[in-house]
Amino acid sequence: MEILELNEDLVIGAGGHKKVYIDPRDNKRCIKILLEEKCEDWEREKKYREIRKARGQQGMMLPEYYGEIATNLGTGYVFERIVDFNGDNSKDIGEFLRTAKEVPSPLEIEYLVKRFFYGMLAEKIIVTNAEYCNFLVQRVTPHLNQIRVVDNIGSHIIVPIDCYIDSLADKHIKRYFVRLLYEIYRDFPNLMPREQFEKIVNFVRNFLVN
């Protein structure tokens, strides 16, 4: 069996549970190597992806998963690599806001937030925490961005009924989305006036899902 060689020159990210490498066979893909024998985060995400596949759920927010591969560092998990239109690695929400040459206006931010929220609801994307490092801002064109969800994916419930019942998924999404908004506003309070921020929060909380 052929073993794929990975080295430190290919590293594009690391966390408490994994290290991420560019796939040397295809730079549009990346390979995640788990740093522990059994990773609860990955087991949860894998189960969630299996449920979505069985239910025929599709969408653009989750990176595509291509399966396992044997590497010199152990089993690797191959995913779509999230990059901007110019080939740069996409930044998480926090890094994007910290390094943006021109931050969108409050009205533009409100539009982007609502578009992000509608996408989460439409694709029934469930996450286990609201840290904005789990969300990448992918610059599709110089003037068009989209949010991709790359970490802490799936339900934290032992019997994940929220993955099967859409109304429960919607409640989960609304609750965690509000937490995410407060996370962002805590660190970037100058994005918009507090009154407008609370208006967006109330919109999410009170949004009626059919």
Side-chain angles (χ1 to χ4, degrees):
M1 180 176 63
E2 184 178 355
I3 302 295
L4 184 67
E5 289 287 328
L6 300 177
N7 59 60
E8 292 301 302
D9 293 337
L10 297 170
V11 174
I12 55 173
H17 306 291
K18 63 181 178 298
K19 211 165 186 177
V20 185
Y21 299 77
I22 295 175
D23 188 332
R25 305 163 305 169
D26 182 351
N27 64 10
K28 293 181 180 179
R29 298 185 178 189
C30 64
I31 299 174
K32 295 183 181 180
I33 301 292
L34 303 182
L35 302 180
E36 47 195 38
E37 188 173 342
K38 186 174 178 63
C39 177
E40 290 184 7
D41 284 352
W42 170 236
E43 293 299 321
R44 181 172 53 242
E45 178 178 340
K46 185 164 61 172
K47 185 174 184 179
Y48 176 59
R49 286 179 177 272
E50 289 170 353
I51 293 171
R52 289 180 64 85
K53 184 177 181 180
R55 298 189 67 201
Q57 292 177 319
Q58 299 178 338
M60 291 294 297
M61 300 188 80
L62 295 181
E64 191 72 29
Y65 172 56
Y66 301 107
E68 301 180 7
I69 187 169
T71 81
N72 59 311
L73 302 176
T75 301
Y77 302 91
V78 186
F79 289 86
E80 172 191 1
R81 179 182 168 207
I82 307 303
V83 296
D84 294 344
F85 69 93
N86 59 2
D88 290 345
N89 292 318
S90 298
K91 300 174 180 177
D92 69 45
I93 290 175
E95 186 181 6
F96 178 81
L97 291 174
R98 282 192 297 270
T99 60
K101 294 180 180 178
E102 184 177 345
V103 177
S105 70
L107 283 177
E108 289 174 319
I109 291 173
E110 182 173 345
Y111 168 77
L112 291 171
V113 167
K114 289 181 177 179
R115 185 162 154 257
F116 178 21
F117 176 58
Y118 293 146
M120 293 281 283
L121 285 176
E123 297 187 21
K124 298 293 182 280
I125 303 298
I126 295 176
V127 296
T128 59
N129 70 48
E131 295 178 2
Y132 49 67
C133 58
N134 299 327
F135 306 92
L136 298 186
V137 181
Q138 184 178 34
R139 300 178 64 212
V140 182
T141 73
H143 307 291
L144 177 64
N145 303 321
Q146 65 181 9
I147 304 293
R148 308 295 298 276
V149 187
V150 296
D151 214 349
N152 288 292
I153 297 165
S155 175
H156 63 282
I157 303 173
I158 296 177
V159 180
I161 57 174
D162 48 353
C163 296
Y164 292 97
I165 302 175
D166 288 349
S167 61
L168 294 180
D170 294 336
K171 290 179 180 179
H172 178 107
I173 291 165
K174 289 173 65 174
R175 183 169 66 251
Y176 276 76
F177 200 88
V178 168
R179 292 183 190 177
L180 173 63
L181 291 177
Y182 276 107
E183 285 272 338
I184 296 172
Y185 196 74
R186 179 196 64 198
D187 293 338
F188 301 95
N190 295 325
L191 285 177
M192 64 180 64
R194 182 75 188 194
E195 181 179 344
Q196 185 178 2
F197 169 74
E198 293 294 349
K199 176 185 173 184
I200 296 174
V201 169
N202 288 331
F203 169 83
V204 172
R205 280 181 173 150
N206 298 322
F207 187 82
L208 297 178
V209 184
N210 293 328

